[in-house]
Amino acid sequence: MGAMDGRGTRRMTGPDRERLSPCVCSTLRMVSRAVTQLYDDILRPSGLRVTQFSILGAISRLGDANLRQLEHTLAIDQTTLTRSLKLLERNGAIDRVPHPDGRIKAMTLTSKGRKALEAARPLWARAQDRVLRELGTTAWADAQRRLAHLLRVAVKKRRRIRGQSRVRPRRARRGSL
């Protein structure tokens, strides 16, 4: 990476900086894919990908969880979530739980799912430590605050846009989300 700045974080220089797009969405997706691949590589011995690890962790914390709860908790799109849940169910890591409303698909961890989660936790911690060692915990705390703000803004704007008439889409102001 680049040289250290005064706050103990590294300035991005050279080819990495040039690879980033001025498009916020493209840049965030590129960084997300690269970090996801790093976690997936480190988690590989557990048989889980980081998305599956996150889903199992959320179900573990909630006790049992339905699709809507998981979508909200993990901010994950329904297609990815459904695909991952089917795979986890097929592999015996989760089971469906009866729900009073038959339309709701609730899931719970099986003993196999709990064991997989426990086996993956130290590997996840290794991935987390590696990223934080490179980035720095202070830089991550700052990035997390900024990303949380971006998430709030994007979710609020999306709700507003989805609530508008689909017939006449409004033109976005320049520079706004």
Side-chain angles (χ1 to χ4, degrees):
M1 294 183 100
M4 298 290 273
D5 71 14
R7 294 184 307 199
T9 58
R10 298 169 193 264
R11 286 192 308 266
M12 195 186 316
T13 58
D16 287 337
R17 175 103 179 147
E18 291 162 14
R19 284 173 57 191
L20 295 180
S21 166
C23 173
V24 173
C25 185
S26 294
T27 297
L28 289 173
R29 289 173 62 93
M30 180 189 298
V31 172
S32 176
R33 282 191 301 271
V35 172
T36 297
Q37 288 165 0
L38 182 123
Y39 275 76
D40 283 348
D41 288 347
I42 294 173
L43 281 169
R44 188 163 288 121
S46 74
L48 294 176
R49 292 176 162 269
V50 71
T51 303
Q52 296 165 334
F53 174 82
S54 298
I55 292 168
L56 292 180
I59 294 171
S60 176
R61 285 188 303 278
L62 295 166
D64 63 67
N66 64 47
L67 220 56
R68 180 163 284 142
Q69 287 172 307
L70 290 171
E71 277 179 49
H72 178 74
T73 302
L74 300 169
I76 190 171
D77 68 279
Q78 193 172 356
T79 304
T80 302
L81 180 59
T82 302
R83 185 174 50 239
S84 294
L85 288 171
K86 282 180 184 170
L87 185 62
L88 288 167
E89 188 175 17
R90 193 168 55 236
N91 291 343
I94 59 174
D95 265 338
R96 289 178 191 257
V97 184
H99 192 278
D101 182 340
R103 297 169 297 174
I104 295 177
K105 296 176 184 173
M107 304 288 181
T108 189
L109 291 187
T110 63
S111 60
K112 186 176 179 181
R114 280 189 293 281
K115 286 178 190 157
L117 186 58
E118 290 308 311
R121 277 198 171 112
L123 297 171
W124 174 87
R126 189 183 309 160
Q128 184 83 347
D129 288 345
R130 183 175 295 176
V131 172
L132 289 176
R133 220 175 22 251
E134 285 297 320
L135 181 60
T137 52
T138 305
W140 173 240
D142 183 47
Q144 218 173 6
R145 276 192 303 280
R146 292 169 190 257
L147 290 168
H149 174 72
L150 180 58
L151 178 63
R152 281 190 306 275
V153 169
V155 167
K156 195 186 324 181
K157 291 282 185 183
R158 184 166 184 251
R159 281 191 192 127
R160 214 176 288 150
I161 289 166
R162 288 171 75 194
Q164 294 171 359
S165 166
R166 302 218 186 267
V167 178
R168 292 178 290 126
R170 254 180 47 195
R171 285 179 45 178
R173 284 193 322 251
R174 193 170 203 170
S176 66
L177 280 178

